[in-house]
Amino acid sequence: MTTTSSDMCGPTDDPPRKSCGDKVDSTIHSFFNRVGVICASKAKITIAVSLALAALFGSGISQIKPESRPEKLWVPQNTQHQNEEEMYISYFPPTSRFNTMLVRDTKGKNVLTKEHLVSAMELHGMIETEEIDTTDIEDYEGKKELFTFPDLCSAGGGSCVAYNPTDPICNCLVISVLRMWNYDLDMLQADDDLLSTLMRYGSREDLEGVLGNPVFDNNGMLQSAEAIQVTYFLADRSEVRNGNEVDPINEAWEEKVFLESVQDNEPSKSNIDVSYISTRSFSDEFGGAISGDLVFVQVSYIVAFIFLGATLGSRIACGKGSRWAMSFAALILVAASTAAGIGLSSFVGLIYGPVHSLLPFILLGIGVDDSFVIANAFDRERKVSRSSENDDGIIARAGRALGRAGASITVTSATDLVAFAISSSSSLPALSSFCAYASIGIFFLWAFSATFFTACMFIDEKRQRDNRRDCLCCVKRSDDNEEEDDLDKGAKEGRISTYFRKYHAPAILSKPGKAVVLLVFSALFGYGIYGAINLPVEDSERNFIPSGSYINDYIDLADEYFPSSGVSLSINFENGQDIYDKRVELANLSERLTGLSTAAPYIAEPNSESSYQNAMTGLHDFLASSGSAAVGGVTLGDDNWPTSYEDFVLTMKNYTSFTGPGRVYGRDFSYSEDRSSIRLYKVDLEYVRLTKENRGEVIADAARQIDAMDETRAMVESWDDLPSAFVFCEQYLSIEGFKVIQQELYQNVGLAIACVAVIVLITVGNFMAALLITINVALCIVEILGFMFAAGIVIDSVSVINIVLAVGLSVDYSAHIGHSFLVKGGSNKDIRATEALADIGASVLNGAMSTFLAVAVLLGSSSYVFRTLSIQFVLTVVLGSMHGIVLLPVLLSLVGPAPFASAEAPRTEVVDDLELSEDKMENEE
């Protein structure tokens, strides 16, 4: 016998190929044979110890560290944005939560009529005066109090056109044209020229910032509008509790006052229609979708139970051959592994985020495969009728069965574990933690499958031998007739195995069949490359909003009425003396920011207060036109600026005070503790709306957002003639996240496939088999990426997790077939491929079908997380199983390696059938 390219070891007495492969195979087989014998001989103890260990490790759930803050989950740590945020918060601690409503005519007509404005003012009155009682707030830890909006609002000037210190609303930050009547219903009703009053709100651009589709005549006079936007700001009172950021009082006001007030407005009984959004809306709607759709996960477990019960045994009806109890045991196996994995992960301090709710489902998809493989091995190793088998015989069979299945479940579990372990090094904490949780859970799946499930199988085999009832093994059936398969010498080949032997294998392993298979999979791979190249990285935040949510209604209208409004940002200048020294340049900052809206950095034109707010410009214009008498009366120089830094600080404080003419800029300065010096002043800007349409849906354009962020930072860093400055934008939180996510996707998938190749090589013990399995997996992953593009799935935090999962699952389908091929003897590769399919193909197909049916339940989910998971699972199951039971057998039949020395001899009837088939083809030719 000659040495082949699949040799792995040095010279030995036996041919190297056989020696190395046999050594690996026999070592794994011997280990699991011993485990199987021990677990079967001590079945009850094994089950008790397994459940006790699951409970012990699961007790770590009490140490779980929930985390829901986006900046702690989806942003790479120690990034530039985190440094910018820390600096910004040191000057401006978090201050506000927003609540916005869009008021429209019920028929889409002009809303700037007295009747509509009165309705809007009445609605505002409810929002302003409605009280909340702290005794009704579950998480509130203070004393009993009653609060209204003025008690909770963010302080700000400019909310009333005529400031009245005795009117609480005038001290609150509210943005709306209703301020033109001081939010007073009587003033509004007494106004006979509403449009003239509205024209005094500000410039045309200012009106366009708060009115939807305003219409102006040729003289620039406001004529009508389709919507009025009103935004209320609450002073931030948030705190972190157990990894969650909570703000009990404000959240209660938003729920009980703002949301209930706008939701109580019924268009059928009113002349206005209201769309709305609040700070708590996203968590309410996303959390509600996840919670509401958890029922789908429960249904998927029921579907898995039914399918397992119907296919694990040789018959569906309870009796000999049925395995409903083992179906239940398989689910207990998954549940115990999930609990132990989550518990141990929590105990070692890993964070638990919202996306971790996918873990039970993912472990279900992986766990049932091992159950099918072990059950199939138990059947295959039965060589005598059940009635003639004593306990020692079943124990010996359990050892042989686990020895037969051990290599398969080890290679698939190891590759799954490593695929997730690699991604646990991700710089995104949520992805890193999730993959670590999954890796630990997969370890417990492997351990409990080999011990707990094997022990359960032993008890079930005894139950069948003793003719006891399924699920009620203590009750013996009165009918003691032996089943048909019990009359034979051993187990009878199942229907699916027969299909693989007589129909599937001959079809794909014939010469025309091989050609068709290679052609079809070449086409699939070609499309996979096309789709993978075009698969975009996107900020899919909007996709997390459930369909039918009121948030979607608001966002759609905001896109329609305020298409130019985009993400807010600020340029923050430090050092008050430098600010004063560069006052002229800062007042004229708009000159540097003009013309940047059509290309990166995509900053909106500085032509309105909604897109550009610069206190230095405002102060200079005021001093030039009105002097300093109203703001402290300091001496002004020829340039209309105060002549000293101290006078400048005094003038700016008076100008931006609540009663000052520049009160709208009151929140743009950070002063020293004694307010004698300016620490920082900020200029508020806005990006143009960086969105795009993707298959009929408007989503954020991640590529342009990344360009905008990078170019804005570069621009500010280049201003060496101005005071030191930094950029702050809350959206950078997510932009920096998906800036690295594509790189990590391909990097982690590539590393996972490479490690999978090494693990398969070690556990299978044959270079050529490992190479074919790895190539098969790589092709499958490329095709999954391609069909993700076809399905409209983008690269984001959810899809990345599922791609990592796809690496592990697709290995499962191929590794079982590849290993089985090596343990089938003979020189005819077509026969060995056929035998491999007949032996393990049923387990692979059943595992794929159980996962597919469980996943199919989630396709109707309204949750983006579950919907994306289900689509990617379907792609993985369909493509992975096709590669495992169609492409890989063809490749093995063409270039597969020789069998192990310990391989089984081919069945005689298979050889005869193949020879007859070949003779028939030759005669036809």
Side-chain angles (χ1 to χ4, degrees):
M1 188 170 292
T2 58
T3 302
T4 70
S5 61
S6 60
D7 299 344
M8 290 177 54
C9 305
T12 62
D13 295 336
D14 297 320
R17 169 182 52 76
K18 290 187 175 181
S19 174
C20 190
D22 277 334
K23 186 176 295 185
V24 172
D25 184 62
S26 62
T27 299
I28 295 176
H29 186 280
S30 298
F31 170 78
F32 280 102
N33 188 295
R34 290 194 298 272
V35 171
V37 169
I38 293 171
C39 291
S41 60
K42 306 289 184 181
K44 293 180 180 179
I45 294 176
T46 299
I47 293 172
V49 170
S50 297
L51 294 178
L53 287 174
L56 175 64
F57 287 111
S59 65
I61 293 176
S62 62
Q63 305 297 317
I64 200 166
K65 294 175 60 178
E67 182 61 76
S68 62
R69 291 170 290 176
E71 69 273 15
K72 298 296 183 181
L73 291 172
W74 301 114
V75 178
Q77 300 302 289
N78 302 316
T79 62
Q80 184 173 348
H81 169 72
Q82 287 183 313
N83 296 331
E84 293 167 346
E85 184 178 44
E86 289 175 2
M87 288 191 293
Y88 186 84
I89 290 177
S90 70
Y91 293 113
F92 300 106
T95 57
S96 296
R97 297 168 63 95
F98 73 91
N99 296 267
T100 301
M101 63 179 182
L102 278 173
V103 179
R104 299 179 298 148
D105 172 65
T106 55
K107 297 181 180 180
K109 298 181 179 180
N110 179 30
V111 75
L112 299 182
T113 67
K114 180 164 289 188
E115 292 78 10
H116 292 94
L117 289 169
V118 166
S119 296
M121 189 71 81
E122 289 174 342
L123 180 56
H124 160 80
M126 294 173 57
I127 294 172
E128 178 187 346
T129 60
E130 190 75 22
E131 295 179 332
I132 58 166
D133 189 338
T134 56
T135 58
D136 298 329
I137 304 176
E138 182 178 351
D139 297 328
Y140 183 66
E141 299 177 351
K143 62 181 181 178
K144 172 180 172 61
E145 291 183 84
L146 296 175
F147 290 106
T148 62
F149 173 69
D151 299 320
L152 303 174
C153 69
S154 295
S159 291
C160 296
V161 68
Y163 179 72
N164 180 0
T166 63
D167 188 348
I169 194 64
C170 292
N171 295 314
C172 291
L173 181 58
V174 183
I175 299 177
S176 169
V177 294
L178 297 180
R179 78 181 181 90
M180 301 309 298
W181 299 278
N182 271 31
Y183 297 96
D184 188 300
L185 182 60
D186 293 334
M187 285 182 64
L188 172 61
Q189 291 176 326
D191 191 341
D192 294 328
D193 193 354
L194 299 175
L195 294 179
S196 296
T197 302
L198 288 169
M199 284 300 297
R200 295 196 295 273
Y201 179 83
S203 66
R204 175 170 178 163
E205 289 76 16
D206 293 331
L207 286 169
E208 289 175 339
V210 293
L211 297 177
N213 287 347
V215 176
F216 298 87
D217 63 18
N218 294 333
N219 297 319
M221 296 297 295
L222 179 65
Q223 299 298 301
S224 65
E226 293 182 14
I228 299 170
Q229 182 171 269
V230 185
T231 303
Y232 302 88
F233 293 88
L234 297 174
D236 183 80
R237 295 172 176 81
S238 61
E239 56 183 299
V240 177
R241 296 180 187 173
N242 298 322
N244 294 303
E245 193 171 85
V246 297
D247 192 343
I249 296 179
N250 284 336
E251 289 175 0
W253 182 89
E254 290 173 352
E255 178 186 9
K256 301 296 184 182
V257 177
F258 179 77
L259 291 176
E260 285 190 5
S261 295
V262 294
Q263 289 168 355
D264 286 343
N265 177 75
E266 299 183 24
S268 60
K269 300 179 181 179
S270 173
N271 60 355
I272 59 172
D273 184 18
V274 182
S275 298
Y276 49 91
I277 194 171
S278 72
T279 297
R280 69 172 294 151
S281 294
F282 289 96
S283 59
D284 283 351
E285 294 294 284
F286 175 63
I290 288 289
S291 301
D293 285 341
L294 286 178
V295 66
F296 285 108
V297 179
Q298 298 167 10
V299 172
S300 70
Y301 269 70
I302 295 174
V303 170
F305 170 74
I306 294 173
F307 186 82
L308 280 165
T311 55
L312 270 180
S314 60
R315 57 179 289 174
I316 297 177
C318 289
K320 282 189 177 180
S322 68
R323 283 187 174 139
W324 288 98
M326 292 311 302
S327 174
F328 185 63
L331 295 187
I332 292 177
L333 158 68
V334 174
S337 302
T338 302
I342 293 177
L344 181 57
S345 301
S346 301
F347 183 77
V348 299
L350 297 175
I351 62 173
Y352 187 94
V355 76
H356 289 57
S357 60
L358 298 176
L359 278 169
F361 187 82
I362 287 174
L363 294 179
L364 172 66
I366 296 173
V368 294
D369 291 347
D370 292 345
S371 301
F372 277 115
V373 172
I374 294 174
N376 176 71
F378 261 84
D379 290 337
R380 288 269 171 180
E381 290 298 328
R382 183 164 67 85
K383 307 301 183 184
V384 298
S385 64
R386 283 195 171 97
S387 59
S388 63
E389 218 175 13
N390 58 22
D391 286 0
D392 289 339
I394 300 177
I395 290 173
R397 176 153 64 96
R400 295 195 307 271
L402 193 60
R404 181 190 189 107
S408 289
I409 67 171
T410 297
V411 66
T412 56
S413 297
T415 51
D416 288 338
L417 190 152
V418 168
F420 279 106
I422 288 173
S423 292
S424 68
S425 63
S426 170
S427 60
L428 300 178
L431 179 58
S432 172
S433 173
F434 178 89
C435 291
Y437 268 83
S439 296
I440 295 172
I442 290 168
F443 169 78
F444 282 110
L445 275 178
W446 171 78
F448 290 152
S449 292
T451 54
F452 170 82
F453 192 77
T454 299
C456 290
M457 281 294 300
F458 169 77
I459 292 176
D460 188 71
E461 286 297 307
K462 285 181 61 179
R463 186 271 305 173
Q464 297 196 57
R465 179 199 64 187
D466 297 338
N467 199 33
R468 297 183 182 276
R469 294 191 179 276
D470 203 352
C471 297
L472 295 172
C473 59
C474 296
V475 180
K476 190 170 183 178
R477 298 170 66 231
S478 57
D479 183 5
D480 198 29
N481 292 331
E482 292 187 347
E483 300 295 330
E484 180 182 349
D485 64 345
D486 228 303
L487 298 174
D488 297 332
K489 180 180 178 181
K492 184 179 180 180
E493 191 167 79
R495 291 184 296 273
I496 299 178
S497 294
T498 301
Y499 157 76
F500 276 111
R501 183 185 302 282
K502 292 187 175 182
Y503 304 103
H504 182 86
I508 65 171
L509 297 178
S510 65
K511 291 181 180 179
K514 292 178 182 179
V516 171
V517 167
L518 294 176
L519 181 63
V520 169
F521 279 90
S522 295
L524 287 174
F525 180 64
Y527 183 79
I529 293 176
Y530 167 77
I533 292 174
N534 291 282
L535 191 64
V537 180
E538 298 295 350
D539 180 3
S540 55
E541 180 181 0
R542 290 191 179 190
N543 292 337
F544 285 87
I545 305 170
S547 57
S549 169
Y550 66 83
I551 298 178
N552 286 322
D553 296 335
Y554 173 83
I555 290 178
D556 290 342
L557 287 173
D559 288 337
E560 177 184 352
Y561 291 137
F562 308 104
S564 62
S565 60
V567 175
S568 299
L569 72 151
S570 64
I571 300 177
N572 305 272
F573 296 95
E574 300 175 293
N575 193 314
Q577 184 64 57
D578 289 344
I579 292 170
Y580 174 70
D581 293 341
K582 298 294 183 179
R583 57 192 181 276
V584 175
E585 291 85 349
L586 292 173
N588 296 322
L589 192 64
S590 61
E591 296 177 1
R592 304 185 185 214
L593 300 171
T594 299
L596 303 179
S597 60
T598 58
Y602 300 110
I603 293 175
E605 298 300 325
N607 52 18
S608 71
E609 289 187 6
S610 62
S611 62
Y612 178 70
Q613 184 168 293
N614 187 345
M616 297 294 284
T617 303
L619 175 61
H620 184 258
D621 291 346
F622 177 81
L623 294 177
S625 61
S626 304
S628 64
V631 290
V634 301
T635 301
L636 302 179
D638 293 338
D639 58 359
N640 291 314
W641 286 99
T643 56
S644 69
Y645 172 63
E646 291 74 15
D647 287 349
F648 168 72
V649 174
L650 175 64
T651 301
M652 186 62 77
K653 287 191 296 183
N654 291 330
Y655 175 69
T656 58
S657 68
F658 279 171
T659 58
R663 51 187 172 271
V664 295
Y665 305 111
R667 301 165 59 82
D668 294 347
F669 286 84
S670 174
Y671 294 94
S672 60
E673 290 187 9
D674 61 3
R675 295 182 63 80
S676 64
S677 178
I678 296 174
R679 299 171 62 215
L680 177 141
Y681 117 91
K682 66 186 180 80
V683 177
D684 290 329
L685 306 170
E686 191 174 72
Y687 287 117
V688 298
R689 187 171 289 274
L690 297 174
T691 59
K692 67 179 182 180
E693 187 171 316
N694 182 42
R695 291 177 169 85
E697 296 183 1
V698 176
I699 64 172
D701 189 333
R704 289 203 296 161
Q705 287 185 346
I706 293 173
D707 290 342
M709 177 182 70
D710 292 342
E711 287 300 317
T712 301
R713 286 171 170 167
M715 176 186 69
V716 173
E717 289 176 3
S718 69
W719 290 345
D720 53 11
D721 60 328
L722 297 179
S724 62
F726 65 91
V727 182
F728 176 74
C729 173
E730 289 186 0
Q731 193 68 20
Y732 288 177
L733 179 73
S734 58
I735 295 175
E736 286 193 333
F738 57 73
K739 182 179 180 181
V740 301
I741 203 166
Q742 184 177 36
Q743 175 185 347
E744 288 205 349
L745 168 65
Y746 293 113
Q747 173 182 297
N748 290 344
V749 169
L751 285 174
I753 292 176
C755 289
V756 161
V758 174
I759 292 173
V760 171
L761 179 61
I762 293 173
T763 53
V764 170
N766 185 281
F767 176 79
M768 180 56 71
L771 178 62
L772 291 177
I773 292 171
T774 304
I775 291 174
N776 210 39
V777 171
L779 295 177
C780 183
I781 296 302
V782 172
E783 291 162 21
I784 291 173
L785 291 172
F787 280 95
M788 280 174 57
F789 171 74
I793 298 175
V794 300
I795 298 176
D796 62 11
S797 54
V798 175
S799 62
V800 165
I801 288 175
N802 293 328
I803 281 293
V804 174
L805 170 65
V807 175
L809 281 181
S810 56
V811 171
D812 292 359
Y813 303 124
S814 296
H816 291 313
I817 300 294
H819 178 264
S820 184
F821 180 82
L822 289 171
V823 298
K824 302 302 177 184
S827 59
N828 190 308
K829 295 176 183 178
D830 288 347
I831 295 177
R832 292 171 58 208
T834 300
E835 282 292 284
L837 285 169
D839 183 359
I840 203 70
S843 296
V844 172
L845 185 60
N846 283 333
M849 284 296 297
S850 63
T851 304
F852 177 84
L853 291 174
V855 165
V857 175
L858 298 181
L859 290 172
S861 171
S862 62
S863 163
Y864 172 72
V865 173
F866 286 142
R867 192 169 61 251
T868 302
L869 168 73
S870 62
I871 293 173
Q872 288 186 271
F873 246 68
V874 167
L875 289 174
T876 302
V877 169
V878 173
L879 292 172
S881 59
M882 285 174 59
H883 276 262
I885 63 179
V886 179
L887 179 61
L888 185 58
V890 170
L891 296 177
L892 290 170
S893 72
L894 294 173
V895 293
F900 293 147
S902 58
E904 304 170 355
R907 289 173 48 159
T908 304
E909 62 267 28
V910 177
V911 178
D912 294 340
D913 289 345
L914 185 64
E915 289 176 348
L916 288 174
S917 177
E918 290 177 345
D919 291 341
K920 182 179 179 181
M921 291 180 63
E922 290 176 359
N923 292 333
E924 290 177 352
E925 292 176 356

